[in-house]
Amino acid sequence: MDTGLSFTATMRVTPEVTAEYIGSGDLAVLATPAMCALMENAAMMAVATHLEEGQTTVGTALNIEHLRATKVGKVVTATAVLTEINGRELKFNIAARDEVGVIGEGTHSRFIVYREKFMSKL
């Protein structure tokens, strides 16, 4: 696995991913937690095909700014780019955009784990 791997995840803002519905706010706009989930998904997918059999990644840190609201019906994309590999720790730059421009950006860390071993510890 090398730095530079990237993936772009896409979603349409529906009532079920609004701050009002999720409970993180009381407006019918894209919820910050929903934007974060899309960003994490992009990072997970950026490296998914480069892992060994039985491995996956889990999120360990997320440092983002939600810069602008997005209304229901709009399409949002999140792109993650792998910037650093420290053993099993992976670091990403992430940015989310809607049809107008950047709505959020930041960094994200994930850790490579073996699925079975990870789940057996819970």
Side-chain angles (χ1 to χ4, degrees), residues 29-107:
V29 296
L30 177 65
T32 301
M35 182 185 73
C36 291
L38 187 66
M39 291 171 149
E40 285 200 67
N41 179 264
M44 177 190 72
M45 295 303 294
V47 298
T49 61
H50 299 272
L51 299 172
E52 294 176 13
E53 174 118 8
Q55 288 183 328
T56 190
T57 60
V58 294
T60 57
L62 186 61
N63 181 13
I64 63 104
E65 290 185 77
H66 195 164
L67 303 169
R68 194 169 45 74
T70 304
K71 67 182 184 177
V72 172
K74 296 296 183 181
V75 173
V76 173
T77 61
T79 301
V81 179
L82 180 61
T83 58
E84 197 174 322
I85 303 168
N86 296 316
R88 294 190 299 150
E89 183 183 29
L90 309 174
K91 296 188 178 188
F92 300 84
N93 285 339
I94 48 177
R97 293 172 175 79
D98 65 12
E99 297 152 2
V100 176
V102 175
I103 64 167
E105 59 190 4
T107 59

